[in-house]
């Protein structure tokens, strides 16, 4: 799923049409404020296409806030073609930069590069996570995890190195409408660690804060 963050509706719809014709799932946000709410929710985005000049919260402010808790790849698409804007974008954590007007082939080439990268299996010693199938393997043997535990593992890995609070994990895995106690997170972490065995070392407890995936 790709998130398009663009305040000009016609351009947002055009970009969406181009991507959906290629079979790519797309979501939209008209400013950084809405986009931040979306990425903080349960939807998993593989890439964000981000405008800079937007009302309420512009692209630069958005990526600064995003990088506090997520490493989702971000490609800026902006009418600002000057070197200073591009340097500032990369300094704030951008993974790519396209200037408007952009060509369809260039957009698709950029998007597919990140899509392919995000779908490749990742390896952490004996632990392998398949992004495309959401499979978990230890020493080549598939580990069949209950749905919530599998989602929990991938969520932490996709935010590698970032501390996730129990509340953030609840919102991402169980959704905003979950009314149970946040200790359900601790219980699922404990079960997940038991199933992972030695590979549980990648899931760190950060006292009084939450959890993170760390190599």
């Amino acid at each position: 799923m790709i998130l398009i963050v663009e305040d000009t509706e016609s351009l947002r719809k055009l970009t969406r049409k181009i991507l959906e014709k290629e079979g790519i799932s797309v979501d939209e946000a008209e400013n950084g404020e809405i986009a931040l709410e979306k990425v903080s929710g349960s939807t998993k985005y593989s890439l964000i296409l981000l405008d800079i000049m937007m009302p309420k919260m512009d692209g630069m402010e958005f990526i600064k806030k995003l990088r506090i808790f997520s490493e989702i790849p971000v490609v800026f698409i902006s009418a600002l073609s000057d070197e200073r804007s591009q340097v500032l974008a990369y300094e704030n954590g951008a993974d790519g930069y396209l200037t408007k007007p952009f060509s369809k082939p260039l957009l698709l080439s950029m998007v597919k590069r990140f899509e392919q990268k995000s779908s490749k299996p990742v390896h952490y010693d004996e632990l392998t996570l398949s992004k495309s199938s959401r499979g978990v393997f230890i020493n080549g043997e598939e580990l069949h995890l209950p749905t919530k535990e599998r989602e929990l593992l991938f969520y932490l890995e996709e935010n590698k190195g970032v501390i996730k609070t129990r509340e953030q994990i609840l919102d991402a895995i169980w959704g905003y409408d979950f009314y149970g106690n946040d200790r359900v997170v601790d219980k699922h972490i404990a079960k997940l660690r038991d199933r992972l065995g030695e590979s549980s070392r990648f899931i760190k407890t950060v006292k009084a804060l939450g959890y993170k995936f760390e190599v």
Side-chain angles (χ1 to χ4, degrees):
M1 176 78 75
I2 290 178
L3 178 62
I4 302 170
V5 189
E6 165 65 59
D7 64 318
T8 303
E9 184 178 6
S10 58
L11 182 55
R12 200 168 65 239
K13 299 300 183 186
L14 174 62
T15 306
R16 179 173 196 143
K17 185 177 180 180
I18 290 171
L19 296 177
E20 288 185 335
K21 272 192 172 182
E22 298 295 316
I24 298 170
S25 298
V26 176
D27 195 6
E28 302 176 26
E30 62 189 49
N31 59 60
E33 194 174 87
I34 294 172
L36 201 61
E37 291 177 2
K38 285 180 175 285
V39 298
S40 299
S42 58
T43 302
K44 304 297 189 299
Y45 297 104
S46 60
L47 176 65
I48 297 173
L49 301 179
L50 181 66
D51 188 19
I52 293 180
M53 297 181 291
M54 296 181 291
K56 295 189 178 180
M57 183 187 293
D58 66 22
M60 292 300 183
E61 186 179 355
F62 167 80
I63 195 170
K64 286 177 184 177
K65 293 180 180 295
L66 176 74
R67 287 295 177 248
I68 294 173
F69 66 90
S70 176
E71 293 300 319
I72 300 171
V74 173
V75 172
F76 276 92
I77 300 182
S78 175
L80 300 176
S81 59
D82 60 288
E83 184 178 274
R84 182 176 177 278
S85 295
Q86 295 185 46
V87 168
L88 185 59
Y90 284 114
E91 286 179 344
N92 284 327
D95 299 276
Y97 198 105
L98 293 178
T99 55
K100 301 175 184 176
F102 54 84
S103 70
K104 177 181 174 180
L106 186 58
L107 172 66
L108 290 176
S109 176
M110 179 75 77
V111 167
K112 287 179 179 178
R113 179 165 67 89
F114 284 101
E115 286 283 285
Q116 290 167 359
K117 183 178 179 182
S118 67
S119 66
K120 290 181 178 178
V122 290
H123 306 278
Y124 302 100
D125 297 332
E126 75 285 351
L127 177 65
T128 298
L129 303 179
S130 172
K131 300 286 187 172
S132 57
S133 69
R134 307 301 274 185
V136 179
F137 303 84
I138 294 180
N139 294 318
E141 294 290 327
E142 185 167 10
L143 180 64
H144 297 284
L145 295 173
T147 301
K148 290 300 184 187
E149 290 173 34
R150 183 175 65 250
E151 290 179 3
L152 181 53
L153 175 59
F154 275 93
Y155 175 70
L156 292 174
E157 188 278 330
E158 286 163 0
N159 293 279
K160 185 168 64 262
V162 178
I163 299 169
K164 307 305 285 187
T165 65
R166 292 177 179 84
E167 183 178 13
Q168 288 174 320
I169 294 171
L170 274 178
D171 288 343
I173 307 301
W174 280 268
Y176 287 108
D177 56 352
F178 179 78
Y179 294 105
N181 190 293
D182 64 6
R183 290 299 168 184
V184 70
V185 174
D186 298 332
K187 292 177 181 177
H188 278 74
I189 287 283
K191 290 178 181 178
L192 175 59
R193 281 173 164 160
D194 283 343
R195 298 182 204 275
L196 288 174
E198 290 186 10
S199 296
S200 64
R201 68 184 182 279
F202 298 117
I203 300 176
K204 309 292 186 183
T205 300
V206 183
K207 190 175 181 181
L209 293 176
Y211 301 95
K212 68 176 177 177
F213 189 98
E214 186 173 82
V215 180

